[in-house]
Amino acid sequence: MDPRDTIFLCLMLCLSQKIQAQEGEFPVPLITATPGSVIPWNESVKILCWGTPESYLYQQEILGNSTFEVVKKKLGFQKKAEFLTEHMNPNTAGCYQCQYRKQDHWLEHSKASELVVTGFYNKPFFSVDQGVVVMLGKNISLQCSSAHIPFDRFSLIKEGGATLSQNQNGRHQGNFTLGPVNQSFSGNYRCYGWYSGSRYVWSAPMMPWGLWSQSLQKVWLKISICLEFISKTRYPHILLGKDYIVL
């Protein structure tokens, strides 16, 4: 082999390795939504696509019939791109992804992120088989139902937490079981109804329902403190013991 050919081949291999190393430094983009992924009708939402400072072009895509379609593009060297939707509606709800461009090619897509609009239907009804205070380690059953709208899906959302979805049971009702309950279950919950054929368009939410998990010792302590105050102020004939109350 001609020495010049050998030098040229070595240069090409080195350049290829350098390009591959540089590409490895660029992470897969991350897509997030602010203030969240469940947005009331006509309110605004901001979709963020996180890349690197070397990214000079970002694009936002939404899933159409079977493929993703470009919705918006944003030019400029920046670590993240913001895509604002000012008025959320059924046309802007859906499954989104994003990607960014560096040098002369696009990086791979982010994971898909679902954006839901609420308030399209009347809110469902909500019932629970226990009170708002639940003992640690126990299960709690909740029902979300609609008497007049034949929803075939229901979703239960903990504010700032996960979403649970259930099929209806033939009576326009979704049944949810939470547990075994621990401290992380405490918080406010909302229930929504929707149709499987239009998964990104939900009903208005029911009023938030609060769940508070407590150990038996904490509940007894609160009861004891309350009764002790009552016994010392208005009913001195009440006797309190560690494991009993005498009236």
Side-chain angles (χ1 to χ4, degrees), residues 10 27 35 48 85 94 104 106 111-112 118-119 126 139 154-155 158 162 170 173 206 210 214 223 227 229-230 241 246:
C10 289
L48 305 177
T85 298
D104 61 345
W106 291 96
K111 291 184 178 180
T118 67
F126 189 74
N139 292 338
F154 291 91
S155 290
K158 179 178 181 289
Q173 177 174 299
M206 46 150 272
Q214 296 281 0
I223 294 175
L227 289 176
F229 173 77
I230 295 174
V246 179

Side-chain angles (χ1 to χ4, degrees), residues 34-247:
T34 302
S37 60
V38 180
I39 307 298
W41 183 292
N42 212 34
E43 292 195 10
S44 64
V45 61
K46 185 183 297 181
I47 295 180
L48 305 177
C49 185
W50 298 80
T52 68
E54 295 83 3
S55 311
Y56 71 89
L57 180 62
Y58 289 81
Q59 72 180 23
Q60 176 194 46
E61 303 173 3
I62 189 172
L63 181 62
N65 293 329
S66 58
T67 60
F68 280 91
E69 304 169 356
V70 177
V71 180
K72 298 176 182 177
K73 291 187 177 183
K74 183 153 291 190
L75 187 64
F77 287 97
Q78 52 194 332
K79 188 175 182 179
K80 67 177 179 181
E82 300 181 355
F83 299 97
L84 178 65
T85 298
E86 294 185 349
H87 304 286
M88 193 68 180
N89 59 66
N91 293 326
T92 55
C95 183
Y96 286 86
Q97 67 180 19
C98 72
Q99 64 177 162
Y100 62 84
R101 187 177 179 90
K102 75 174 187 69
Q103 298 175 358
D104 61 345
H105 66 282
W106 291 96
L107 273 289
E108 63 179 290
H109 288 92
S110 67
K111 291 184 178 180
S113 178
E114 296 184 337
L115 205 59
V116 170
V117 62
T118 67
F120 195 75
Y121 314 102
N122 291 332
K123 62 184 179 182
F125 299 99
F126 189 74
S127 60
V128 61
D129 64 355
Q130 298 183 39
V132 296
V133 178
V134 182
M135 296 298 103
L136 295 178
K138 299 294 184 180
N139 292 338
I140 183 170
S141 297
L142 310 97
Q143 294 79 40
C144 190
S145 61
S146 175
H148 305 293
I149 304 177
F151 295 125
D152 60 354
R153 296 291 189 276
F154 291 91
S155 290
L156 181 68
I157 294 183
K158 179 178 181 289
E159 292 182 0
T163 299
L164 301 175
S165 297
Q166 293 284 343
N167 298 345
Q168 59 93 8
N169 64 1
R171 295 177 296 164
H172 314 316
Q173 177 174 299
N175 299 316
F176 300 89
T177 300
L178 302 180
V181 170
N182 56 46
Q183 294 291 351
S184 67
F185 283 73
S186 295
N188 292 320
Y189 291 79
R190 292 178 182 270
C191 181
Y192 301 82
W194 47 285
Y195 293 99
S196 58
S198 185
R199 60 180 299 170
Y200 305 117
V201 181
W202 292 6
S203 71
M206 46 150 272
M207 293 297 291
W209 175 79
L211 171 65
W212 308 105
S213 55
Q214 296 281 0
S215 66
L216 189 58
Q217 291 82 358
K218 286 185 178 180
V219 172
W220 168 251
L221 177 61
K222 291 180 180 180
I223 294 175
S224 299
I225 293 174
C226 181
L227 289 176
E228 184 176 1
F229 173 77
I230 295 174
S231 66
K232 289 182 179 180
T233 54
R234 298 185 60 186
Y235 302 99
H237 60 281
I238 296 179
L239 301 178
L240 298 176
K242 181 179 179 181
D243 298 310
Y244 61 86
I245 302 174
V246 179
L247 301 177

